[in-house]
C-alpha cells in the first residue's frame, strides 16, 4: 500500500487592503457583478469577475430557473461567456463573492463541485492556471493559486478517445 498525500495551499488575507492591486480590483468587479445576479429562488447572489490574458475584465453572475436543476452558477455562466467573447484567450484569474438576502455569510463561498470541474476544464483548454480569489460578505479573503488545487484526482479529457 502506498499513501499519497494531497496538499492544497490556501492564502488567507484579513482584508482587501492586503491584496495585490490586481486582485483587489478584480474582487471589486465581482462585487459589482452581484447586481447582475438573477436569483429570485435562492435569494443568494453570486458575483464573479475574470481577468483575461488580453487585459480584459468580464463580469458574470448566477442565473436561476424555476426548474431548479437548470440554475447556472456564476462561475459557469462567466467562464462560458468569456470563452465565447474572447475565444483562445486564457483566463488568468477569477474572483467570486456572494450576498445572501437571508443571512450574513462570514466566510468565502468556494465554487461548488461542478464549478470546480468547469474551472479545471478551462485551465486545461487554455493551458493556463486560474488564480481564484474568494470573499464572503464579511470575514477573510482567500486566494488559491490554481483551480486544479480545488479538485484532486479530477476527471478530464485525457480519459476520453483522442
Ligand atoms: N451558485 C453559484 O453561482 N456558484 C457556486 O459555486 C455555488 C452555487 C449559485 C447557484 C444558485 O443560483 C445559488 O448559488 C444557490 O445554490
Amino acid at each position: 500500500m502506498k499513501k499519497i498525500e494531497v496538499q492544497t495551499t490556501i492564502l488567507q488575507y484579513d482584508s482587501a487592503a492586503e491584496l495585490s492591486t490586481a486582485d483587489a480590483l478584480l474582487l471589486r468587479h465581482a462585487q459589482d457583478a452581484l447586481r447582475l445576479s438573477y436569483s429570485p429562488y435562492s435569494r443568494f447572489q453570486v458575483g464573479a469577475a475574470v481577468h483575461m490574458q488580453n487585459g480584459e475584465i468580464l463580469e458574470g453572475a448566477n442565473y436561476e430557473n424555476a426548474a431548479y436543476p437548470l440554475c447556472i452558477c456564476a462561475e459557469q455562466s462567466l467562464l462560458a461567456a468569456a470563452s465565447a467573447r474572447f475565444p483562445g484567450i486564457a483566463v488568468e484569474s477569477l474572483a467570486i463573492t456572494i450576498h445572501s438576502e437571508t443571512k450574513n455569510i462570514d466566510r468565502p463561498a468556494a465554487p461548488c463541485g461542478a464549478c470546480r470541474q468547469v474551472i479545471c476544464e478551462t485551465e486545461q483548454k487554455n493551458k493556463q492556471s486560474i488564480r481564484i480569489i474568494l470573499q464572503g460578505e464579511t470575514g477573510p479573503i482567500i486566494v488559491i493559486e490554481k483551480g486544479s488545487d480545488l479538485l484532486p484526482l479530477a476527471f478530464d479529457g485525457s480519459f476520453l478517445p483522442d
Side-chain angles (χ1 to χ4, degrees):
M1 194 273 277
K2 189 176 158 190
K3 188 171 173 185
I4 301 167
E5 305 269 356
V6 179
Q7 212 180 17
T8 303
T9 302
I10 297 172
L11 307 174
Q12 181 170 314
Y13 299 85
D14 289 335
S15 81
E18 292 178 30
L19 296 176
S20 68
T21 311
D23 286 356
L25 174 69
L26 199 62
L27 205 45
R28 284 201 296 279
H29 277 277
Q31 283 155 359
D32 182 57
L34 289 170
R35 74 193 155 81
L36 306 175
S37 171
Y38 174 64
S39 43
Y41 305 106
S42 70
R43 292 186 287 145
F44 184 79
Q45 283 119 46
V46 184
V50 282
H51 182 264
M52 311 288 295
Q53 210 153 38
N54 62 1
E56 295 279 350
I57 290 178
L58 296 175
E59 296 180 357
N62 52 333
Y63 186 65
E64 297 192 343
N65 195 289
Y68 292 171
L70 299 183
C71 291
I72 303 173
C73 290
E75 297 88 333
Q76 294 181 52
S77 73
L78 179 55
L79 290 174
S83 178
R85 176 75 179 80
F86 295 114
I89 307 291
V91 175
E92 285 188 337
S93 44
L94 166 65
I96 304 155
T97 192
I98 48 89
H99 172 69
S100 169
E101 290 174 28
T102 59
K103 55 181 171 178
N104 178 58
I105 312 280
D106 63 358
R107 62 195 189 283
C112 75
C115 287
R116 294 177 196 208
Q117 185 74 27
V118 172
I119 291 167
C120 287
E121 182 82 25
T122 306
E123 289 186 331
Q124 293 207 339
K125 171 174 86 80
N126 295 333
K127 299 181 177 57
Q128 163 76 53
S129 61
I130 301 176
R131 180 177 173 80
I132 300 175
I133 305 137
L134 304 170
Q135 186 176 36
E137 290 176 309
T138 56
I141 295 165
I142 63 175
V143 174
I144 297 116
E145 298 288 0
K146 37 189 195 318
S148 57
D149 281 350
L150 291 176
L151 196 63
L153 286 181
F155 179 80
D156 63 32
S158 67
F159 294 100
L160 300 174
D162 292 329

